[in-house]
Amino acid sequence: MSGVGEAGLVLGMISSIIAIIDATNQVYEAVKDDSGLPTNFKKSATKLPTILKLLEDAERYLKAADKSTKAAFTPTLEDCKVQATHLQELFEKVIPEEGDSRWDRYVKAARTIGKGGRVENLMKGILDDLQLLATKFPEVTTSRGKDQLAKAVEEVTRMEPSLPDGFEQMPAYAHYGSGAQNVNIGSGIQHINSGTSHQNSGSGQQYIGTNYIVDHLLSKNITVDDIDRSCLRTLRCPNTLTVKNRLKENKDKLLHKSIEWILQDPQYLSWRDAEDVCLLWIKGGAGKGKTMMSIGLIERLSLMPGKSTVVAYFFCQNADYELNTLEAIIKGLILQLVIQQKELKESLRRRWDTENARFSEDITSWRTLWDIFLEMLEYCKCQRVYVVVDALDECQHGSMADFLKRLVRTGLHHPSKIKWLLTSRPLDSAERALLAGSEQVLVSLELNSNHVSEAVKTYIAFKVDELDRDKAYGPTLRRNIQAELTNKAEDTYLWVSLVCKRLEGVHRDEALTTIQDLPPGLHPFYDRVFHQLSEGDSAMVKGCMRLLKAILLAYRPLNIAEVGSVSGLSEERDAIKALVDRCASFLKMRGTDIEFVHQSARDYLAGKNGQSILDSYKCYGHGEIALSCLSYLSRRLKANLVDLPRPDSTREMMERNTLVSSVDYAATFWVQHINSAQQTSLIQNAVAKQGEVSIFLHTKVLEWLECLSLLDKLPRVIEALKTLADMADVSGVYSISRIIG
């Protein structure tokens, strides 16, 4: 078939999928009464508009794509079309209100499809296909589209099974629905019960009402899709595609010209193409553009033709507890692999204990996760796997040296197939481990200062163009500003970014003197602006210091709705935004989240100079944060926290509730803050018999558990209660032990 014919087939296929999803959506929208409709149908239907938008984005992308790209889409679109067709069949057979009960029609329709016929399995299959395309072709949709896709995948993964395991193999007379239960396929006396209880005095098996629990099915007939879903749900892998998209939004536009130099670097080329070089370490100081370089390289590598290449990546984030551990790094890489190579899920599946619904190995250990990841790399059928880990220095783990040694000893045996790329600031431990042999190479940004300097000049020109469009500098002032920035930048992207951020709020006539008044170098810059921040209106300064302390000690970035519960500051959004604006050289808003502009800003505040100023204001540490969280929870928690109208209400209804957003951090992390301050008199008093902790557990423990359940974080309770029990035993506070024992 000609290239034109193949291209036409691909476009025709995606148009067909769009029509199928649109028809499925129309079937659901026509429903006037959804009573009796399985909950997962309602949840899945909410994802259809997102899928339509993503498919339309992909169609536009394909129309402008070359022949090889269209060919690469074909296998994934073929699978997607099969899943979409089955989903349409389910909706058309189950949703209409006439005939048998919707439940009975669902069972029959799903059994006709067979294995994988659950509505949530089909929806997950479609979303997985779209995520695979978005991973291999980053420009296929927008950053917002990728975030919506990642959220939809996560929500569908969390859905409970809508049909019993092995439903496709059950006999036709099995009773799945509600009502009288009259089935006993074993021997013995057949007690038929048409009431609400369930009786069977024979030795056979009985299918019980809407619980559809059959013991032998749990251990023998669980489907592969069920196990895969359980594995990933239990593993709780961070979605690195979402992290990458967020980083791209937070940082300035990626200037591909600024990374052209490394694409021609001999060390990079030998790593990318040679058969005997397996590890490249890009080392550079803070603010040198390592993360944007990583994003650019990932996207270049992802565009390599054919199915023979896989790119897995992870971005470490020191300020986020979900992204700053070795366990998180390896989990993120595992998720990237199984999204692109579904057969690699077998490595997880083999370690799953179906009878006890848990892994048979300790997946909380990075060493166990490392063994799983290595096995996946070994079994991966692709000719080349690129593994990129950015900002390794932001990983807070005492075993980093051991990890690097293990990486070198066990992860570099296939240099022609598996290629590692690591970026970090200078690391003493890394110097010894990562450059131990000829198959491991280094690109130092400091030693390539000429290239980096030219790249920073390109970035400065871009930033000044942006400012000029807004401020109308004119040719002369524009040249002077660009020259002054170039003179002081010291080859540091971040310094340029921070100064240009300040210029956004400065009149054009003061722009040049503003730059001249600021010192070169990140540390002197932070010193200057922090001293300026500590001057002025007393109330505003105290608010800024309290906010900076809270963000510095928080275990993840805070949503603006959570700031009041953690800091004790006003809960008014405008007041909090005013504080963030005042701290613009240290903090920024990402949507409704507040985070540091860069890891170097956090490092400065945690260092000697920053702490000396922060400590001069009222003490506010982990203990104060813990008690602020408890006070907030005590006021806000109640039974049926989000006022759900009925027990089967969907998670989407809960997510629209602003109260959930405001209590999320406090409910999740108050115990960790207690533990971090347990030696202080403030916390020792709090855990005493009549202290704040004891009172909270006596009066609000059930509401707290309900809250964590709504947040899908109930497993954290076990660790939290163990922490409190240990503290109680050590301090002799037996009242808490009795409450939680």
Side-chain angles (χ1 to χ4, degrees):
M1 184 179 292
S2 69
V4 174
E6 290 178 357
L9 282 177
V10 175
L11 289 171
M13 191 183 310
I14 199 167
S15 296
S16 173
I17 299 171
I18 290 172
I20 292 169
I21 296 297
D22 186 48
T24 305
N25 194 39
Q26 290 180 28
V27 170
Y28 182 76
E29 289 181 344
V31 174
K32 296 180 181 178
D33 178 12
D34 63 2
S35 60
L37 189 64
T39 300
N40 282 1
F41 271 81
K42 306 175 193 178
K43 293 181 178 180
S44 297
T46 64
K47 310 294 181 289
L48 294 173
T50 297
I51 291 174
L52 270 176
K53 176 64 170 60
L54 292 167
L55 287 167
E56 289 165 356
D57 287 348
E59 184 179 38
R60 283 192 291 272
Y61 176 80
L62 276 177
K63 287 178 179 177
D66 57 29
K67 183 173 69 175
S68 63
T69 300
K70 290 185 173 75
F73 265 66
T74 302
T76 305
L77 289 180
E78 288 174 345
D79 181 72
C80 187
K81 185 175 180 180
V82 171
Q83 307 275 359
T85 302
H86 286 325
L87 187 71
Q88 182 185 24
E89 291 173 4
L90 277 188
F91 271 63
E92 289 178 342
K93 291 178 180 179
V94 175
I95 286 182
E97 300 173 32
E98 69 279 355
D100 297 337
S101 73
R102 283 169 165 159
W103 178 257
D104 289 339
R105 279 180 279 147
Y106 177 32
V107 173
K108 293 175 184 176
R111 290 179 62 203
T112 300
I113 295 171
K115 187 177 180 180
R118 295 186 179 114
V119 64
E120 64 272 13
N121 290 77
L122 297 172
M123 179 58 65
K124 181 69 162 51
I126 295 170
L127 291 170
D128 281 347
D129 287 334
L130 292 175
Q131 192 166 49
L132 176 59
L133 293 175
T135 300
K136 291 188 71 68
F137 305 96
E139 305 303 321
V140 77
T141 187
T142 63
S143 295
R144 177 177 171 80
K146 291 171 185 173
D147 285 344
Q148 291 174 333
L149 173 59
K151 183 179 179 182
V153 169
E154 182 180 355
E155 290 170 352
V156 172
T157 301
R158 290 201 306 254
M159 288 184 188
E160 294 298 326
S162 58
L163 287 173
D165 298 321
F167 68 90
E168 73 280 0
Q169 300 173 5
M170 286 183 178
Y173 48 79
H175 187 138
Y176 300 91
S178 57
Q181 311 299 304
N182 302 323
V183 179
N184 183 345
I185 61 173
S187 59
I189 303 170
Q190 311 300 305
H191 285 262
I192 296 176
N193 178 3
S194 60
T196 58
S197 59
H198 314 287
Q199 298 179 11
N200 180 358
S201 63
S203 60
Q205 294 167 307
Q206 181 182 17
Y207 299 94
I208 302 179
T210 56
N211 291 322
Y212 18 89
I213 295 174
V214 186
D215 289 342
H216 79 284
L217 290 176
L218 288 174
S219 59
K220 296 182 180 179
N221 293 324
I222 293 177
T223 67
V224 169
D225 287 340
D226 297 333
I227 298 174
D228 290 344
R229 185 172 56 249
S230 297
C231 288
L232 291 176
R233 184 189 297 128
T234 303
L235 208 55
R236 302 181 73 88
C237 304
N239 191 317
T240 52
L241 176 62
T242 302
V243 176
K244 178 167 77 73
N245 293 335
R246 187 177 72 208
L247 288 169
K248 288 183 69 174
E249 289 178 5
N250 289 350
K251 296 179 181 288
D252 288 301
K253 180 181 178 181
L254 175 62
L255 302 178
H256 290 285
K257 187 177 179 181
S258 67
I259 67 167
E260 283 181 357
W261 70 269
I262 197 168
L263 297 175
Q264 308 304 319
D265 183 87
Q267 300 285 52
Y268 173 78
L269 291 173
S270 67
W271 168 79
R272 189 191 68 182
D273 301 328
E275 298 290 308
D276 58 348
V277 178
C278 50
L279 186 145
L280 171 64
W281 177 29
I282 298 177
K283 178 180 71 169
K288 295 293 185 180
K290 296 184 295 297
T291 294
M292 290 309 290
M293 183 181 290
S294 294
I295 292 173
L297 294 178
I298 288 166
E299 295 186 348
R300 289 294 184 102
L301 293 169
S302 298
L303 292 175
M304 295 183 73
K307 300 181 189 178
S308 60
T309 299
V310 167
V311 182
Y313 53 86
F314 189 88
F315 296 89
C316 301
Q317 302 277 281
N318 179 268
D320 191 332
Y321 81 107
E322 293 184 333
L323 302 173
N324 66 6
T325 66
L326 291 176
E327 291 80 10
I329 292 173
I330 303 170
K331 287 180 181 180
L333 295 175
I334 285 173
L335 180 62
Q336 289 271 301
L337 282 185
V338 300
I339 286 174
Q340 297 174 73
Q341 299 284 307
K342 294 181 180 180
E343 65 273 14
L344 297 180
K345 293 178 182 178
E346 171 64 21
S347 294
L348 297 175
R349 209 178 295 137
R350 288 192 303 98
R351 293 169 168 85
W352 185 254
D353 179 350
T354 53
E355 185 173 348
N356 295 302
R358 65 188 182 192
F359 280 103
S360 58
E361 299 178 17
D362 178 17
I363 60 163
T364 64
S365 164
W366 70 263
R367 291 174 175 83
T368 300
L369 294 168
W370 176 252
D371 290 341
I372 295 172
F373 181 63
L374 283 185
E375 181 180 296
M376 288 182 171
L377 290 177
E378 189 74 28
Y379 292 158
C380 183
K381 297 177 182 178
C382 290
Q383 293 178 3
R384 184 65 57 83
V385 181
Y386 294 104
V387 184
V388 182
V389 181
D390 179 67
L392 196 60
D393 53 286
E394 295 193 28
C395 176
Q396 293 186 344
H397 206 294
S399 298
M400 177 57 71
D402 289 342
F403 170 73
L404 295 177
K405 290 177 183 176
R406 186 163 294 210
L407 166 61
V408 171
R409 290 171 182 169
T410 63
L412 307 183
H413 293 329
H414 301 286
S416 63
K417 175 183 177 182
I418 302 163
K419 304 280 189 176
W420 285 84
L421 191 159
L422 308 177
T423 77
S424 74
R425 300 186 200 180
L427 292 171
D428 290 338
S429 58
E431 292 280 357
R432 293 187 297 273
L434 297 182
L435 301 177
S438 60
E439 71 277 12
Q440 299 143 243
V441 295
L442 168 71
V443 172
S444 169
L445 300 185
E446 280 73 19
L447 295 180
N448 284 273
S449 58
N450 290 339
H451 294 305
V452 176
S453 180
E454 289 301 312
V456 172
K457 287 178 183 177
T458 300
Y459 176 67
I460 290 172
F462 169 75
K463 293 300 292 181
V464 175
D465 279 344
E466 280 190 333
L467 289 166
D468 189 21
R469 285 194 292 270
D470 182 49
K471 303 291 184 179
Y473 289 146
T476 302
L477 180 57
R478 184 187 181 285
R479 279 196 304 272
N480 291 338
I481 289 173
Q482 188 165 331
E484 193 68 26
L485 287 171
T486 302
N487 185 48
K488 287 191 166 185
E490 296 184 348
D491 301 341
T492 304
Y493 288 92
L494 180 60
W495 187 92
V496 177
S497 177
L498 293 171
V499 173
C500 289
K501 180 68 176 176
R502 287 178 74 84
L503 293 180
E504 291 175 7
V506 172
H507 190 272
R508 65 183 301 279
D509 295 338
E510 300 174 358
L512 191 58
T513 56
T514 297
I515 303 172
Q516 292 169 343
D517 288 342
L518 290 169
L522 283 178
H523 196 280
F525 174 87
Y526 287 136
D527 251 346
R528 176 70 58 83
V529 297
F530 198 34
H531 279 91
Q532 291 173 350
L533 180 62
S534 64
E535 300 168 353
D537 178 71
S538 176
M540 176 65 79
V541 171
K542 289 179 180 177
C544 288
M545 297 302 167
R546 175 68 65 85
L547 178 62
L548 288 171
K549 287 182 179 182
I551 301 295
L552 183 63
L553 294 175
Y555 292 104
R556 63 160 172 76
L558 296 177
N559 186 287
I560 195 170
E562 299 169 330
V563 170
S565 68
V566 177
S567 67
L569 294 168
S570 167
E571 295 174 29
E572 292 293 327
R573 293 194 170 213
D574 289 343
I576 297 171
K577 286 180 179 179
L579 293 176
V580 175
D581 288 342
R582 180 72 182 270
C583 301
S585 294
F586 294 94
L587 302 177
K588 63 183 177 183
M589 295 285 299
R590 176 178 58 82
T592 58
D593 287 345
I594 303 170
E595 55 190 28
F596 286 107
V597 295
H598 190 264
Q599 177 63 24
S600 60
R602 190 177 193 277
D603 291 343
Y604 172 82
L605 292 174
K608 182 179 179 181
N609 288 20
Q611 284 296 302
S612 66
I613 295 178
L614 288 174
D615 290 345
S616 65
Y617 291 84
K618 184 179 179 181
C619 178
Y620 200 78
H622 284 289
E624 286 77 12
I625 289 177
L627 297 188
S628 180
C629 290
L630 281 180
S631 174
Y632 189 85
L633 292 172
S634 296
R635 296 196 308 271
R636 296 304 183 96
L637 293 184
K638 62 176 183 177
N640 191 9
L641 179 65
V642 295
D643 298 318
L644 295 176
R646 57 183 187 272
D648 66 341
S649 299
T650 64
R651 184 169 293 276
E652 285 74 16
M653 296 178 65
M654 183 202 77
E655 288 175 346
R656 292 193 291 267
N657 191 293
T658 56
L659 181 56
V660 173
S661 298
S662 71
V663 300
D664 188 338
Y665 186 90
T668 305
F669 292 104
W670 70 267
V671 175
Q672 281 184 250
H673 285 290
I674 288 273
N675 191 41
S676 295
Q678 62 176 296
Q679 300 302 322
T680 65
S681 58
L682 181 70
I683 293 305
Q684 289 175 358
N685 291 333
V687 300
K689 186 173 183 180
Q690 296 301 321
E692 292 91 338
V693 174
S694 181
I695 292 172
F696 176 79
L697 293 174
H698 271 298
T699 59
K700 292 290 183 178
V701 68
L702 294 180
E703 290 83 353
W704 176 47
L705 296 178
E706 181 201 358
C707 176
L708 290 174
S709 177
L710 290 170
L711 293 167
D712 197 28
K713 296 178 179 178
L714 201 54
R716 294 183 67 92
V717 172
I718 298 173
E719 182 180 348
L721 294 183
K722 184 179 184 302
T723 298
L724 290 174
D726 290 343
M727 288 177 59
D729 291 340
V730 169
S731 62
V733 184
Y734 301 108
S735 57
I736 295 181
S737 297
R738 286 198 297 271
I739 294 170
I740 63 179

